[in-house]
Amino acid sequence: MVAITKKDRKDCRTKSFFGFPLKNLSLVKTWVKMLRRDNFQPSPYSKICSDHFDEICLEYQPFTNRRQLKPGSIPTIFVFSKATSSRRVLDRCLPTISTETEKESSKVSVGTQTVSFNEVIDLLAEKETELKG
């Protein structure tokens, strides 16, 4: 059994917990890929802590000052034990697409170990435009 200190309780008060966007299957798939949990099926009770979202993903409600996720937000802040290539991160961030479009996306290279939230959003927007056009 782990003892919970006053500091732990205080830290918990600064966190928010967000449910998976179950009505948007492509966004759910992206969240699960970012979690790196194979065969994970989120339920209506599954939550992700606010620590995994960049501050730009959050908006504050007037009067209550409660945090809420902006539509389309993706959890991007994780600490994993194994180093990950930027190619693997990029692959997890892109939605599942046709083989022809996958070949085009494989030409994209990211030169850093970490892909920023804005880069992920830009890439997703590009792919969405390609798929619509």
Side-chain angles (χ1 to χ4, degrees), residues 46-110:
S46 301
K47 307 287 184 214
I48 296 182
C49 174
S50 57
D51 288 349
H52 300 290
F53 292 90
D54 195 285
E55 189 65 31
I56 63 172
C57 296
L58 305 171
E59 58 188 5
Y60 294 83
Q61 298 301 310
F63 305 112
T64 62
N65 207 29
R66 288 182 61 193
R67 288 190 286 192
Q68 184 175 2
L69 280 180
K70 292 179 182 176
S73 294
I74 300 170
T76 56
I77 302 171
F78 296 95
V79 178
F80 297 108
S81 58
K82 288 184 178 180
T84 303
S85 73
S86 57
R87 177 78 244 152
R88 247 180 101 200
V89 170
L90 183 59
D91 288 341
R92 281 196 314 276
C93 295
L94 297 173
T96 306
I97 47 181
S98 69
T99 307
E100 183 177 305
T101 312
E102 281 178 5
K103 289 178 186 173
E104 292 174 16
S105 71
S106 68
K107 296 176 187 172
V108 177
S109 68
V110 179

Side-chain angles (χ1 to χ4, degrees), residues 20 25-42 48 74-75 78 80 92:
F20 281 73
L25 293 179
S26 66
L27 193 55
V28 170
K29 286 180 183 180
T30 302
W31 281 34
V32 171
K33 284 181 182 180
M34 293 302 290
L35 289 172
R36 291 190 193 175
R37 291 187 62 190
D38 296 332
N39 303 320
F40 174 70
Q41 291 292 324
I48 296 182
I74 300 170
F78 296 95
F80 297 108
R92 281 196 314 276

Side-chain angles (χ1 to χ4, degrees), residues 103-123:
K103 289 178 186 173
E104 292 174 16
S105 71
S106 68
K107 296 176 187 172
V108 177
S109 68
V110 179
T112 62
Q113 188 72 0
T114 306
V115 176
S116 74
F117 176 75
N118 289 334
E119 290 173 311
V120 171
I121 295 302
D122 291 343
L123 289 168

